[in-house]
Amino acid sequence: MMNSLWIAKTGMTSQQNKMDVTSHNLANVSTTGYKRQNAIFEDLMYQNMRQVGAQADEQNMLPTGMHLGLGVRTVATTRNFTQGTPTETSKELDVAINGNGFFQIQMPDGTTAYTRDGTFTRDANGQMVTSSGYPLLDGITIPADATKVSISKSGLVSATIAGNPAPQQIGQLNTASFINPAGLEPIGENLYRESAASGAPQAGQPGTNNLGTVMQGFLESSNVNVVEELVSMIQTQRAYEMNSKAISTSDQMLAKLSQL
């Protein structure tokens, strides 16, 4: 069988994976705190038909070799953690991070997850929770008779209680950063999990230790650029069509060979 059939097949598979990644980016263009993904490719092993630098004869050396490639594969998907545009919502429990860092979320199994989505609300017990109902690791509980909640740039949470004009501190909203945020494991629901590749989290007060500050009344939009994704989609489609054409041409060549 001609190697070109298999080589073109690997190209079509890789471009299909890239299209899946692009579609996922476009689907999450309005997802709060979403970070754009990108597919990474690498070439497969080579058939070494003639070694570089081999002896052509007793006196001469081959200046080049002959290496026939066997295709391509998708080796990884990476995330671009550049900050999305902060969008004002004027909701007192909406919080965006201006700079590096992640909010720390307590999961039902006792582990900690991390997110850039600061769409928080109160549950039946007054705890600050995510849209999925997971509480903040900091365990911030808002009193039932609170009339106003204020969150400073450093994450200090204060509440104004009915009948008392002086704000009372009710908690500290801390954030965490990673040496390699691209190594975080996505688990859905706008959450990430620590992995060996991401390194251990460095938690602290916003505005310290290279952690960004927080902005009350704002949410971070996704960093997906629709125009870039559409251009990538067109390029992916063209590459897929060219690989498909290579398979068709190889098939015609084999058919012609069988007629000899």
Side-chain angles (χ1 to χ4, degrees):
M1 183 181 72
M2 297 176 64
N3 284 339
S4 58
L5 290 171
W6 172 260
I7 292 171
K9 177 264 179 188
T10 65
M12 293 178 70
T13 301
S14 296
Q15 296 305 322
Q16 181 177 336
N17 291 337
K18 185 176 181 180
M19 182 63 76
D20 291 342
V21 171
T22 302
S23 298
H24 184 68
N25 289 337
L26 288 172
N28 285 279
V29 68
S30 299
T31 300
T32 302
Y34 176 79
K35 301 304 176 184
R36 177 183 182 271
Q37 282 188 297
N38 185 43
I40 306 297
F41 304 105
E42 70 176 12
D43 52 354
L44 295 178
M45 66 177 66
Y46 288 79
Q47 289 181 316
N48 192 352
M49 310 300 291
R50 188 175 72 173
Q51 183 63 40
V52 177
Q55 291 294 134
D57 52 41
E58 294 182 356
Q59 298 180 349
N60 300 307
M61 181 183 296
L62 295 174
T64 61
M66 181 177 178
H67 304 92
L68 300 180
L70 295 178
V72 63
R73 70 167 180 165
T74 310
V75 65
T77 55
T78 62
R79 285 187 182 272
N80 181 350
F81 274 91
T82 57
Q83 183 171 337
T85 304
T87 303
E88 186 173 6
T89 65
S90 299
K91 295 181 180 179
E92 63 181 10
L93 294 184
D94 284 348
V95 188
I97 299 176
N98 184 23
N100 296 325
F102 295 85
F103 298 111
Q104 303 174 95
I105 307 300
Q106 182 73 49
M107 301 301 290
D109 60 0
T111 60
T112 302
Y114 304 88
T115 184
R116 294 280 298 191
D117 182 3
T119 311
F120 299 124
T121 185
R122 288 190 247 188
D123 65 5
N125 299 318
Q127 279 189 307
M128 285 182 65
V129 297
T130 67
S131 299
S132 299
Y134 304 132
L136 284 165
L137 184 65
D138 306 296
I140 300 173
T141 301
I142 301 172
D145 54 350
T147 59
K148 182 179 180 182
V149 177
S150 299
I151 304 175
S152 69
K153 291 184 177 181
S154 61
L156 182 63
V157 183
S158 303
T160 302
I161 309 300
N164 186 356
Q168 300 179 15
Q169 182 178 344
I170 58 174
Q172 171 66 47
L173 178 62
N174 293 313
T175 55
S177 64
F178 294 86
I179 295 176
N180 177 30
L184 290 169
E185 178 187 356
I187 58 176
E189 299 181 285
N190 292 350
L191 300 173
Y192 301 93
R193 181 184 290 128
E194 174 191 350
S195 72
S198 67
Q202 305 296 321
Q205 182 177 315
T208 64
N209 299 325
N210 201 32
L211 291 170
T213 57
V214 296
M215 305 167 60
Q216 184 182 17
F218 287 81
L219 289 176
E220 179 186 1
S221 61
S222 73
N223 63 356
V224 175
N225 186 311
V226 175
V227 175
E228 290 182 2
E229 297 302 321
L230 291 177
V231 171
S232 176
M233 183 178 292
I234 294 172
Q235 292 175 333
T236 303
Q237 180 184 9
R238 296 292 182 266
Y240 188 92
E241 290 173 352
M242 286 187 290
N243 280 282
S244 176
K245 181 64 176 178
I247 290 179
S248 177
T249 302
S250 297
D251 181 60
Q252 293 175 13
M253 293 172 67
L254 287 173
K256 182 65 68 175
L257 180 63
S258 65
Q259 297 173 6
L260 297 179

